[in-house]
Amino acid sequence: MKFKIFKYDTVNSTNETALRLIKRTNCENGFVYALSQKKGKGQYGKKWISKRGNFFGSIFFQLKKNYPSLEEFALINPILNIDILSKYCSKRKIFFKSPNDICINKKKISGILQVVIFKGSKKYLIVGIGINLLSSPEIKNYPCTNIYKETKKKIKVLDIANLLTRKYEKFFSNLN
């Protein structure tokens, strides 16, 4: 499966943009990413703090009968994203903290938000992915970090977008 790439300078939220693309186009699978988002979303309606220079993206695809269940995707998505992070932070302790955080050394570095929508009789999954590349938010009682702080490597948004796209394309190719 190939994902159509949609790159934006600024969006309200990559998940909202993915939702709009599903509803208004015939695109059944795509990958949206932006250099900046104004109203990033987190789990349970929380705000995702979106500092420019970090990664904000949403991958979307039609859920088919031979695909894993939503519960399985809730585990698959973090595994795919941890694999990406381990390319840069291989010496760090990376783990998934349910329901949607990826942490390094007990500090949040990434969040994943899954949303299911319907267009007619078709069911879609939108997977929002935020990764702290160059900076991390200050969240009371919840330590955060970023790839630059952990490794002194400056990672480009485009590099993460390319890696994620290839990772998901490979996953679906292997699934079929």
Side-chain angles (χ1 to χ4, degrees), residues 91-149:
K91 297 178 184 173
R92 307 291 189 240
K93 187 175 178 183
I94 304 173
F95 65 95
F96 174 61
K97 182 179 175 215
S98 186
N100 69 329
D101 293 343
I102 297 174
C103 300
I104 293 180
N105 295 324
K106 300 181 182 176
K107 298 175 195 162
K108 181 174 181 170
I109 195 164
S110 177
I112 299 170
L113 178 65
Q114 288 191 171
V115 177
V116 175
I117 66 153
F118 290 88
K119 179 180 178 183
S121 62
K122 295 179 181 179
K123 187 176 181 181
Y124 292 84
L125 181 61
I126 301 172
V127 182
I129 302 162
I131 303 173
N132 298 332
L133 299 178
L134 297 176
S135 63
S136 38
E138 300 281 331
I139 301 173
K140 188 176 181 179
N141 299 323
Y142 203 97
C144 297
T145 192
N146 59 71
I147 290 177
Y148 181 73
K149 185 176 185 180

Side-chain angles (χ1 to χ4, degrees), residues 145-161:
T145 192
N146 59 71
I147 290 177
Y148 181 73
K149 185 176 185 180
E150 296 293 325
T151 67
K152 301 301 180 226
K153 295 176 187 171
K154 288 188 178 182
I155 308 304
K156 295 178 183 175
V157 169
L158 179 60
D159 292 341
I160 295 293

Side-chain angles (χ1 to χ4, degrees), residues 9-176:
D9 184 60
T10 302
V11 296
N12 280 335
S13 132
T14 59
N15 268 28
E16 283 180 10
T17 303
L19 173 67
R20 192 173 57 254
L21 287 166
I22 293 166
K23 297 279 185 180
R24 295 182 184 169
T25 71
N26 290 325
C27 187
E28 293 192 345
N29 51 300
F31 184 65
V32 175
Y33 74 99
L35 301 178
S36 169
Q37 58 177 9
K38 299 176 195 171
K39 298 177 183 177
K41 297 178 191 246
Q43 194 76 4
Y44 309 117
K46 293 180 183 174
K47 180 182 177 185
W48 177 265
I49 300 168
S50 306
K51 295 185 178 183
R52 194 170 188 93
N54 290 333
F55 179 81
F56 323 107
S58 295
I59 197 154
F60 64 89
F61 49 89
Q62 182 184 347
L63 288 167
K64 300 191 177 175
K65 290 182 182 183
N66 64 327
Y67 284 5
S69 69
L70 290 175
E71 293 78 16
E72 290 169 318
F73 270 116
L75 297 173
I76 291 166
N77 289 313
I79 290 168
L80 295 174
N81 284 276
I82 285 171
D83 192 47
I84 298 294
L85 289 171
S86 69
K87 293 188 181 314
Y88 302 105
C89 306
S90 59
K91 297 178 184 173
R92 307 291 189 240
K93 187 175 178 183
I94 304 173
F95 65 95
F96 174 61
K97 182 179 175 215
S98 186
N100 69 329
D101 293 343
I102 297 174
C103 300
I104 293 180
N105 295 324
K106 300 181 182 176
K107 298 175 195 162
K108 181 174 181 170
I109 195 164
S110 177
I112 299 170
L113 178 65
Q114 288 191 171
V115 177
V116 175
I117 66 153
F118 290 88
K119 179 180 178 183
S121 62
K122 295 179 181 179
K123 187 176 181 181
Y124 292 84
L125 181 61
I126 301 172
V127 182
I129 302 162
I131 303 173
N132 298 332
L133 299 178
L134 297 176
S135 63
S136 38
E138 300 281 331
I139 301 173
K140 188 176 181 179
N141 299 323
Y142 203 97
C144 297
T145 192
N146 59 71
I147 290 177
Y148 181 73
K149 185 176 185 180
E150 296 293 325
T151 67
K152 301 301 180 226
K153 295 176 187 171
K154 288 188 178 182
I155 308 304
K156 295 178 183 175
V157 169
L158 179 60
D159 292 341
I160 295 293
N162 288 334
L163 284 170
L164 280 168
T165 304
R166 286 195 305 269
K167 179 64 68 179
Y168 275 87
E169 287 175 348
K170 184 177 179 182
F171 170 79
F172 283 103
S173 175
N174 291 339
L175 189 64
N176 292 328

